[in-house]
């Protein structure tokens, strides 16, 4: 039995918390290695969401009756928990969205509409996920602004000299990812944010691939916006978080209009609610918020440091095993990366290997990973991506490599 | 000349000999090797099938009222699937192709390639092959049917 760390639950015990890990695929045990796409949920999260619907489900922020008061309290306590999780100053700076994509769209619409005009620039990087490219493209089109892209070095890391040079006088906002969803590279946020702030450029960080692996302190980073998705941190789909500095959020106009985000409504004029509600129109996903709250608690009980250590040791094993095979090409792999690894096998298409790996019960992602521009820069159509989570084991890594060898023998 | 239904039935019989998915995939890969070579000049974006994680180029020409397909792909399984479809549909009239029942794909255990995810090209390939058939059928009907002229 494998121990994660002295005194904490061993991996077999942890895996029991995740019912889906008992599934069989093509008569083989499921080996789930696609955690960058989405993570599996512990029973604590599933039970909490079910329990919510069975005990206190009601619309929040409005009822005077007991279960509505209770549901409202749970919802707002979850917000406080996330504030603490990100080390933000106040809960009013924590806005619930449907996910990272919606959070970026919110800022791209609301911030851009107010602060960006024709001839201005928006800065992103070449390693971004489509969700951190397209909303900015759309904003540029709407406003007559232009999109600037920080190039990469040949090893996949950002070209920092080019980054500095692109922080010009016309840039109104810079948006980049904390961790690459394709390569696992961690960008040097502290340095990048400091450089941007020297030029009075606010920064938005896409934290989707970071929060389940690295501790995030938005005040230490001093980022202006930070966002992540619940479903990538062992919480449910359909919930995400946007953190924004109050000074900026207060100035930004609302994005979606409707109930909850209003103060007074008449046909002549409507006034808006204060933060965070100004940006939370409509009935929220209360069950999902509670699910996310429980997911964070689950993680914190195990300890993010312990999870990180576990994932790093699995990655070292994965790298060692793959490097022993012929014709393996890694993309942007560095020892400091998070637990994401993209590779190809010379002469065999990723789709072919991925299809066969499925027959062995292995779930990995193949293709462009919603980063077509990055694929273009790397000169390839797609990769095979392995991305680990807290419940993966050494045995699973070995099973994966063995299955890969068998798959390779079919095509070579 | 075999009908599409007969060719599909034969293919189904060929596949069910294999119990093991690995043998079935190997057979699929072999079929992919038998596709008539696609002329290099058709390996362009115009003949590229959308909706594939792998790249697939497909071309069809009409000869004496019968359609003949050629294809290529950079993924071996995809080439196999193209080969399957070509084996069943090539050498038939446009109308026969338009009416073809392709349920056999599910029966030989390749249904995961029918899933509506962006990765699978099977659905796109079938659609494209039928579009070619429709275009040629329209051409054969001639200028008489003005409202059928657009494809």
């Amino acid at each position: 039995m494998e121990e994660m760390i002295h005194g904490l639950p061993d991996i077999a015990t942890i895996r029991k918390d995740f019912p889906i890990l008992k599934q069989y695929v093509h008569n083989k045990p499921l080996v789930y290695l696609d955690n960058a796409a989405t993570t599996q949920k512990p029973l604590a999260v599933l039970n909490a969401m079910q329990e919510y619907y069975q005990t206190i489900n009601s619309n929040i922020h409005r009822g005077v009756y007991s279960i509505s008061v209770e549901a409202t309290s749970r919802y707002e306590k979850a917000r406080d928990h996330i504030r603490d999780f990100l080390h933000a100053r106040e809960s009013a700076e924590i806005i619930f969205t449907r996910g990272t994509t919606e959070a970026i769209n919110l800022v791209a619409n609301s911030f851009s509409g107010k602060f960006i005009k024709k001839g201005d620039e928006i800065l992103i990087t070449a390693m971004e996920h489509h969700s951190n490219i397209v909303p900015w493209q759309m904003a540029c089109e709407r406003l007559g602004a232009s999109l600037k892209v920080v190039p990469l070095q040949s090893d996949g890391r950002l070209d920092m000299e080019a980054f500095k040079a692109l922080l010009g006088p016309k840039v109104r906002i810079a948006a980049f990812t904390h961790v690459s969803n394709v390569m696992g590279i961690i960008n040097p946020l502290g340095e990048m944010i400091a450089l941007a702030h020297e030029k009075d450029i606010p920064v938005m960080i896409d934290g989707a691939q970071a929060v389940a692996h690295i501790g995030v302190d938005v005040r230490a980073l001093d980022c202006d916006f930070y966002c992540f998705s619940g479903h990538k941190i062992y919480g449910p789909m359909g919930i995400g978080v946007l953190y924004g500095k109050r000074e900026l959020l207060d100035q930004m106009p609302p994005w979606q209009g409707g109930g909850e985000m209003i103060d007074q409504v008449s046909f002549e004029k409507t006034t808006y609610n204060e933060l965070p509600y100004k940006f939370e129109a409509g009935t929220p996903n209360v069950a999902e918020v509670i699910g996310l709250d429980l997911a964070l608690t689950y993680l914190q009980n195990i300890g993010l440091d312990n999870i990180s250590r576990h994932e790093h040791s699995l990655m070292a094993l994965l790298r060692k095993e793959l490097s022993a095979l012929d014709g393996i090409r890694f993309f942007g792999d560095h020892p400091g990366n998070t637990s994401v690894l993209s590779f190809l096998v010379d002469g065999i298409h990723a789709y072919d290997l991925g299809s066969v790996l499925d027959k062995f019960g292995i779930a990995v992602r193949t293709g462009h990973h919603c980063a077509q521009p990055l694929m273009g820069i790397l000169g390839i159509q797609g990769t095979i991506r392995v991305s680990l989570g807290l419940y993966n084991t050494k045995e699973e890594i070995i099973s994966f490599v063995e299955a890969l060898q068998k798959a390779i023998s079919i095509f070579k | 000349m075999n009908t599409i239904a007969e060719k599909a039935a034969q293919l189904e019989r060929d596949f069910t000999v294999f119990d093991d998915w690995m043998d079935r995939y190997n057979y699929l890969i072999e079929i992919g090797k038998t596709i008539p070579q696609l002329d290099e000049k058709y390996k362009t974006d115009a003949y590229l099938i959308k909706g594939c994680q792998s790249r697939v180029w497909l071309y069809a020409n009409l000869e004496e009222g019968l359609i003949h397909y050629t294809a290529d792909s950079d993924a071996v399984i995809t080439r196999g699937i193209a080969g399957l479809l070509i084996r069943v549909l090539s050498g038939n009239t446009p109308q026969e192709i338009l009416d073809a029942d392709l349920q056999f794909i599910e029966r030989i255990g390749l249904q995961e390639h029918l899933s509506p995810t962006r990765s699978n090209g099977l659905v796109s390939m079938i659609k494209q092959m039928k579009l070619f058939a429709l275009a040629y059928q329209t051409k054969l009907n001639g200028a008489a049917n003005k409202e059928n002229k657009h494809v």
Side-chain angles (χ1 to χ4, degrees), chain A residues 102-138:
Chain A
E102 184 166 80
I104 297 173
N105 273 280
L106 193 165
V107 176
N109 275 276
S110 178
F111 179 91
S112 306
K114 173 97 189 223
F115 294 107
I116 302 186
K117 53 189 194 314
K118 193 167 157 131
D120 284 345
E121 289 170 358
I122 296 177
L123 184 63
I124 61 171
T125 79
M127 64 164 74
E128 298 307 315
H129 183 287
H130 295 160
S131 290
N132 207 21
I133 300 175
V134 182
W136 304 113
Q137 279 179 320
M138 290 164 79

Side-chain angles (χ1 to χ4, degrees), chain A residues 378-395:
Chain A
L378 295 171
I380 51 181
Q381 294 291 309
T383 72
I384 301 172
R385 181 187 70 185
V386 176
S387 51
L388 307 178
L390 68 91
Y391 35 63
N392 289 126
T393 66
K394 284 199 197 113
E395 288 75 25

Side-chain angles (χ1 to χ4, degrees), chain A residues 17-331:
Chain A
D17 289 336
F18 294 83
I20 197 172
L21 297 178
K22 292 199 282 283
Q23 287 287 305
Y24 275 73
V25 172
H26 303 293
N27 298 319
K28 302 265 165 43
L30 170 66
V31 174
Y32 187 77
L33 300 174
D34 195 18
N35 292 284
T38 198
T39 54
Q40 304 304 343
K41 324 302 168 197
L43 273 168
V45 168
L46 303 174
N47 290 340
M49 291 172 65
Q50 172 113 327
E51 199 191 311
Y52 162 76
Y53 276 117
Q54 287 175 331
T55 57
I56 57 169
N57 176 52
S58 47
N59 213 323
I60 60 170
H61 293 143
R62 47 178 45 73
V64 296
Y65 50 88
S66 302
I67 59 173
S68 174
V69 170
E70 174 65 23
T72 303
S73 163
R74 293 288 307 278
Y75 181 85
E76 292 304 333
K77 283 210 173 82
R79 194 193 302 274
D80 295 339
H81 187 184
I82 291 160
R83 172 203 65 205
D84 296 336
F85 179 73
L86 292 177
H87 301 274
R89 208 174 20 197
E90 38 168 338
S91 292
E93 294 178 318
I94 303 295
I95 294 164
F96 288 118
T97 64
R98 235 173 56 229
T100 305
T101 301
E102 184 166 80
I104 297 173
N105 273 280
L106 193 165
V107 176
N109 275 276
S110 178
F111 179 91
S112 306
K114 173 97 189 223
F115 294 107
I116 302 186
K117 53 189 194 314
K118 193 167 157 131
D120 284 345
E121 289 170 358
I122 296 177
L123 184 63
I124 61 171
T125 79
M127 64 164 74
E128 298 307 315
H129 183 287
H130 295 160
S131 290
N132 207 21
I133 300 175
V134 182
W136 304 113
Q137 279 179 320
M138 290 164 79
C140 284
E141 248 180 67
R142 249 191 339 262
L143 302 162
S146 56
L147 196 66
K148 295 288 179 213
V149 182
V150 182
L152 308 181
Q153 301 175 60
S154 58
D155 66 359
R157 290 180 303 165
L158 280 183
D159 182 341
M160 288 300 284
E161 289 312 307
F163 173 66
K164 286 176 198 160
L166 284 164
L167 290 170
K170 295 211 193 103
V171 177
R172 293 289 157 257
I173 187 167
F176 37 87
T177 187
H178 195 160
V179 173
S180 162
N181 73 307
V182 174
M183 302 177 286
I185 289 175
I186 305 175
N187 284 321
L189 291 193
E191 197 189 332
M192 292 172 77
I193 292 169
L195 287 167
H197 284 175
E198 269 171 35
K199 306 281 171 82
D200 287 325
I201 298 170
V203 176
M204 170 151 203
I205 304 292
D206 168 2
Q209 297 294 336
V211 289
H213 310 283
I214 325 175
V216 174
D217 183 330
V218 294
R219 268 184 296 164
L221 288 173
D222 198 29
C223 51
D224 301 275
F225 302 101
Y226 194 97
C227 57
F228 69 90
S229 299
H231 74 94
K232 294 202 206 273
I233 192 172
Y234 312 98
M237 290 176 172
I239 190 70
V241 171
L242 169 67
Y243 157 80
K245 284 183 182 169
R246 182 188 261 284
E247 309 86 80
L248 282 172
L249 290 176
D250 268 337
Q251 295 181 69
M252 284 159 56
W255 179 35
Q256 296 185 335
E260 297 274 4
M261 54 71 74
I262 48 90
D263 177 27
Q264 297 287 329
V265 181
S266 75
F267 288 116
E268 288 71 42
K269 180 166 175 56
T270 287
T271 56
Y272 303 120
N273 209 339
E274 52 179 11
L275 288 176
Y277 311 109
K278 181 172 84 167
F279 290 110
E280 292 182 359
T283 299
N285 290 12
V286 181
E288 280 72 19
V289 165
I290 290 173
L292 175 57
D293 181 34
L294 264 296
L296 295 185
T297 302
Y298 185 86
L299 273 201
Q300 286 164 329
N301 285 344
I302 299 176
L304 203 52
D305 281 344
N306 295 323
I307 293 170
S308 184
R309 224 167 321 190
H310 174 67
E311 289 176 356
H312 274 285
S313 95
L314 290 180
M315 282 300 283
L317 175 64
L318 178 64
R319 262 187 209 107
K320 174 166 158 268
E321 294 290 318
L322 283 179
S323 302
L325 304 180
D326 279 326
I328 303 280
R329 199 161 49 126
F330 294 141
F331 294 92

